[in-house]
Amino acid sequence: MNFEDLDRSYLWHPFTPMREWLAEPPLVIERAEGNELIDTEGRRYLDGVSSLWVNVHGHAHPAINAAISQQLTKVAHTTLLGLASTPSIALAEKLVALAPPGLTRVFFSDSGSTAVEVALKLSFQFQQLRGLSRRVKFLALHNAYHGDTIGSVSLGGIDTFHRVFQPLLFHTLHVNPTIADLQQAFANHGHELAALVLEPLVQGAAGMLLSPPGFLREARSLCDKHGVLLIADEVATGFGRTGTMFACQQEGVTPDLLALAKGLSGGYLPVAATMVTDEIFNQFLGLPEERVTFFHGHSFGGNALGCAAALASLDLFEREQTLANLPPKIAALRARLNQKISPLPHVFEIRQKGLMVGIELRRTPSHPYSAQEAIGARVCRIVRRHGAILRPLGSVVVLMPPLSITPAQIDRLVDATAAAIADATVEPLPAPAVTPSQPPQPRTTRPPVRGIVLVGTDTGVGKTTVGVGLLALARARGLSPVPFKPVETGAAPDPDDALRLRSAAGQDALPLAIVCPYSFSPPVAPALAAEQASTRLTLDAIMSAARRAAACGDFLLVESAGGVLSPYSEELTTADLAAALGLPLVLVARNALGAISHAALAIAELRRRNLPLLGVLFVDTTEASTPDRAHNPRFVHSLTGVRVLGTLPFLPVPSPEGLAAALRRSVDVDAILTALR
Ligand SMILES: *Cc1c(COP(=O)(O)O)cnc(C)c1O
């Protein structure tokens, strides 16, 4: 049989542009062993995305195969409508034992979408039964994905997938996944919400976006405070993907409803479950005439073969110590990604939680690839030549291997991905059909940039610490500050300084690329890091990134790289950048032996270039005091005549608020902030 032709004649593939599909011979899988898929030609491929996020222990696992065969000798399926069945009872008991405490009832269905639909309808009816008939709205996160049925699409927030169905959907409120925005949404809408729905820790289909730490816990407490139910959609994150059995466990949260599917059966058969608390279940315990029945069910809910597979999979978690074996795999994956993927020029960001990874590709940090370029799809086509199967999300390359992946296979998978990304981003891309989509642009009239530039006497002098404190201070004074760190090196894989600055500014929703357009993992000068990544940092590119950042708030805090003459390229230094920005400077100096000469030399150079210097800010970068500390500022002032703004004391726990308070106490912050007016 010619499967390739027959496929093209008869099949319609999900989430697939079929015109392109028909133009190329499909890859046809015939069988699989462990973590490898085998095509009709006998070629083997690592299953890099667990057959769309479902497979857990590998394919054709003897234990799961045996459990299914054995169940098959008894019965394949009987209904749960008015009838009970042995494997579904055993599985429900097992799930209650494993789930976060308090989830005590299991409603079975057959896909992630139906598990979410059930949660939606249950929570809606629950509020009605409680007599809270005005609690009819749902709150979901921007870029949410909860499935493809109309109810779950109504919760969704991914424009490409969901826009066309807009007229069919019920109205859902969407909020940015930041703690501040969530609090605001509850303040405005808490009284009319039936439930908050979210994917805990990782928004999968959004492109593997990681929620800020504490977000889930805050969601739980806001729901409690406002009488709103919390629905956790762990269809993707459940069953070990994030490193724990369920993602909710990482923040010690029990949702009111938990949707499970994908990995529940080990990825073998379509089984899904919606788990709920006693409180919800008990509300449905009235007499039939009280209209308390939940009229919902799917033909194959609680399917016996599926439940048998799920029981076998959960049994393997115990017998093979699947979760206990994860930490070294997660660490190995992280290390290999850092080593092989981070240095590639068009890798913008690597996001990892457990064995869930999103590698975001951009043409340059501030220029995403356009949808027409289909860069992710290109990488995934090429990676097959390197022996792996992947499936992208737009320009995000996803890795989500089975939990059974071995260390050697992790290396193979990452190396194949690195090779494919390198190929895909080097080969000339087809000309985009329309103008490439642009990142957020400043308002049409160029806003006047207000702000300051932090320059250092050297690297490691405490610029970021000062920046964090100043941002928190500016925020406390009602400004909307935006940090801008044009380049961060030593980012492994995250530009940690930029993240700290962004968070201190309360700008977690701002794309990292706005705050830090260039990040490189080698801990070397920007010019060298860029050279090694085959990139060139130009004044024009940095200036346009600075203008874009400035447009996102009313106070730009620029943290320049290293010292005054640290190079961005062979002909561009921090001092050149400061001159182009035209903003007042604060010179940050480490308060330690050597500070006097370092500061005086930096000041001499800034003077030579006529740069507007507000003053010198000393930082005690260590706890241990030295006899010179108290005197360094005085000598710098007398030698240079430049104003000393103060000394930021060493703080063992440098929280933004703590730093802001310390700056307020020890530094002439008004001299800095009034420069903004
Ligand atoms: C995949 C997914 C769904 C939908 O599951 P299906 O089984 O494909 O219907 C729902 N929610 C999340 C978070 C998912 O990743």
Side-chain angles (χ1 to χ4, degrees):
M1 202 177 321
N2 183 337
F3 286 107
E4 295 180 3
D5 288 347
L6 291 172
D7 179 274
R8 284 186 287 185
S9 302
Y10 295 115
L11 262 79
W12 189 335
H13 288 263
F15 276 98
T16 302
M18 285 307 288
R19 174 199 276 270
E20 285 157 42
W21 179 268
L22 295 176
E24 278 181 39
L27 176 58
V28 185
I29 298 299
E30 193 173 58
R31 51 202 188 88
E33 276 171 23
N35 304 316
E36 289 185 331
L37 306 174
I38 304 165
D39 71 9
T40 44
E41 312 285 317
R43 286 177 296 226
R44 288 173 171 264
Y45 309 86
L46 278 171
D47 188 354
V49 289
S50 299
S51 294
L52 238 298
W53 314 0
V54 299
N55 192 279
V56 177
H57 307 286
H59 296 276
H61 194 293
I64 302 181
N65 286 2
I68 296 171
S69 312
Q70 211 197 356
Q71 179 60 40
L72 197 49
T73 63
K74 300 179 190 162
V75 60
H77 178 69
T78 58
T79 183
L80 290 195
L81 275 64
L83 207 59
S85 72
T86 48
S88 64
I89 296 167
L91 178 57
E93 182 196 24
K94 187 92 200 166
L95 286 174
V96 169
L98 288 172
L103 293 165
T104 50
R105 283 277 159 183
V106 184
F107 190 102
F108 284 116
S109 61
D110 47 36
S111 74
S113 305
T114 58
V116 170
E117 291 283 347
V118 167
L120 267 181
K121 289 173 72 177
L122 274 178
S123 50
F124 184 89
Q125 191 172 348
F126 170 79
Q127 300 288 14
Q128 300 292 310
L129 291 175
R130 286 208 296 179
L132 303 176
S133 56
R134 292 176 54 201
R135 287 197 176 272
V136 293
K137 291 197 179 160
F138 289 88
L139 178 63
L141 303 184
H142 279 306
N143 289 314
Y145 177 78
H146 295 292
D148 293 332
T149 54
I150 291 297
S152 55
V153 169
S154 298
L155 300 175
I158 300 183
D159 206 42
T160 322
F161 301 168
H162 300 149
R163 186 179 35 210
V164 58
F165 300 111
Q166 201 59 48
L168 296 181
L169 308 180
F170 62 75
H171 177 66
T172 299
L173 301 162
H174 285 98
V175 62
N176 273 325
T178 71
I179 289 178
D181 287 1
L182 192 66
Q183 288 166 337
Q184 192 60 52
F186 270 85
N188 295 342
H189 300 287
H191 62 284
E192 51 178 348
L193 295 179
L196 164 68
V197 191
L198 49 74
E199 298 163 74
L201 302 195
V202 186
Q203 289 189 271
M208 300 294 153
L209 302 181
L210 310 186
S211 310
F215 181 76
L216 180 61
R217 228 178 1 253
E218 181 66 16
R220 176 70 274 178
S221 98
L222 287 167
C223 283
D224 289 342
K225 195 164 130 207
H226 291 265
V228 174
L229 295 174
L230 176 63
I231 302 176
D233 176 353
E234 293 228 31
V235 170
T237 52
F239 302 101
R241 298 282 172 205
T242 66
T244 47
M245 189 58 109
F246 301 107
C248 284
Q249 292 166 326
Q250 294 194 25
E251 297 211 352
V253 162
T254 296
D256 299 291
L257 300 101
L258 175 65
L260 301 172
K262 291 200 167 105
L264 170 53
S265 66
Y268 280 56
L269 285 160
V271 187
T274 307
M275 301 186 68
V276 305
T277 58
D278 275 347
E279 190 194 0
I280 293 178
F281 178 71
N282 290 340
Q283 195 72 51
F284 289 76
L285 284 183
L287 298 167
E289 57 271 27
E290 295 174 70
R291 298 173 179 280
V292 293
T293 307
F294 184 50
F295 287 113
H296 184 112
H298 296 278
S299 306
F300 285 98
N303 173 266
L305 291 179
C307 290
L311 281 164
S313 168
L314 295 176
D315 185 50
L316 281 178
F317 269 98
E318 283 165 34
R319 281 201 290 130
E320 295 188 345
Q321 289 292 295
T322 308
L323 294 178
N325 288 328
L326 284 180
K329 297 185 187 187
I330 293 168
L333 179 57
R334 190 181 306 279
R336 197 74 171 188
L337 287 166
N338 275 339
Q339 185 196 346
K340 293 294 177 82
I341 307 271
S342 296
L344 298 174
H346 301 280
V347 170
F348 170 68
E349 188 170 62
I350 301 176
R351 299 183 281 266
Q352 180 186 0
K353 188 88 209 171
L355 289 183
M356 301 174 82
V357 176
I359 302 164
E360 182 170 347
L361 304 178
R362 295 219 182 156
R363 183 178 288 291
T364 69
S366 51
H367 288 86
Y369 286 104
S370 69
Q372 288 77 14
E373 287 169 298
I375 186 72
R378 225 177 132 76
V379 170
C380 295
R381 227 170 14 250
I382 295 172
V383 83
R384 294 175 179 183
R385 302 205 292 259
H386 300 278
I389 302 284
L390 296 179
R391 165 100 190 159
L393 292 160
S395 53
V396 176
V397 177
V398 173
L399 303 185
M400 207 198 284
L403 307 190
S404 52
I405 191 162
T406 65
Q409 287 172 330
I410 287 175
D411 289 354
R412 261 172 62 203
L413 179 63
V414 173
D415 294 359
T417 307
I421 291 175
D423 284 3
T425 51
V426 164
E427 290 174 29
L429 290 161
V434 296
T435 32
S437 71
Q438 292 292 312
Q441 288 292 318
R443 289 176 281 264
T444 42
T445 54
R446 184 179 143 185
V449 175
R450 292 200 312 163
I452 56 168
V453 181
L454 298 179
V455 295
T457 51
D458 190 1
T459 190
V461 296
K463 278 195 312 288
T464 305
T465 307
V466 169
V468 164
L470 284 174
L471 288 164
L473 200 67
R475 244 183 118 189
R477 298 203 174 176
L479 291 165
S480 162
V482 180
F484 180 63
K485 184 168 170 83
V487 182
E488 181 160 343
T489 61
D494 293 322
D496 291 328
D497 289 352
L499 288 171
R500 270 183 77 200
L501 292 166
R502 182 176 73 170
S503 150
Q507 296 277 20
D508 284 317
L510 210 59
L512 200 49
I514 300 266
V515 174
C516 178
Y518 298 98
S519 74
F520 304 100
S521 42
V524 297
L528 180 56
E531 220 175 60
Q532 289 175 347
S534 315
T535 307
R536 255 184 67 80
L537 302 171
T538 65
L539 187 58
D540 277 354
I542 294 177
M543 285 303 292
S544 70
R547 280 192 288 272
R548 198 159 38 236
C552 298
D554 53 20
F555 163 31
L556 190 69
L557 182 131
V558 181
E559 188 194 322
S560 61
V564 171
L565 293 181
S566 289
Y568 289 77
S569 75
E570 278 179 0
E571 56 270 346
L572 179 66
T573 65
T574 287
D576 298 318
L577 178 59
L581 285 162
L583 298 173
L585 311 183
V586 172
L587 180 65
V588 179
R590 185 197 297 116
N591 193 10
L593 198 57
I596 299 171
S597 175
H598 275 144
L601 282 169
I603 289 165
E605 179 63 11
L606 296 174
R607 280 225 168 99
R608 192 179 72 79
R609 293 169 178 252
N610 264 328
L611 294 175
L613 180 61
L614 291 172
V616 191
L617 201 165
F618 284 87
V619 180
D620 291 342
T621 54
T622 55
E623 184 149 32
S625 187
T626 50
D628 58 312
R629 263 198 185 168
H631 307 284
N632 288 334
R634 174 165 59 90
F635 280 106
V636 168
H637 176 68
S638 53
L639 284 169
T640 66
V642 165
R643 168 182 199 168
V644 171
L645 296 162
T647 302
L648 178 63
F650 176 80
L651 295 189
V653 184
S655 69
E657 296 72 19
L659 287 169
L663 281 174
R664 220 181 283 121
R665 271 195 309 274
S666 320
V667 172
D668 185 357
V669 288
D670 285 321
I672 301 173
L673 294 180
T674 49
L676 301 173
R677 305 237 166 78

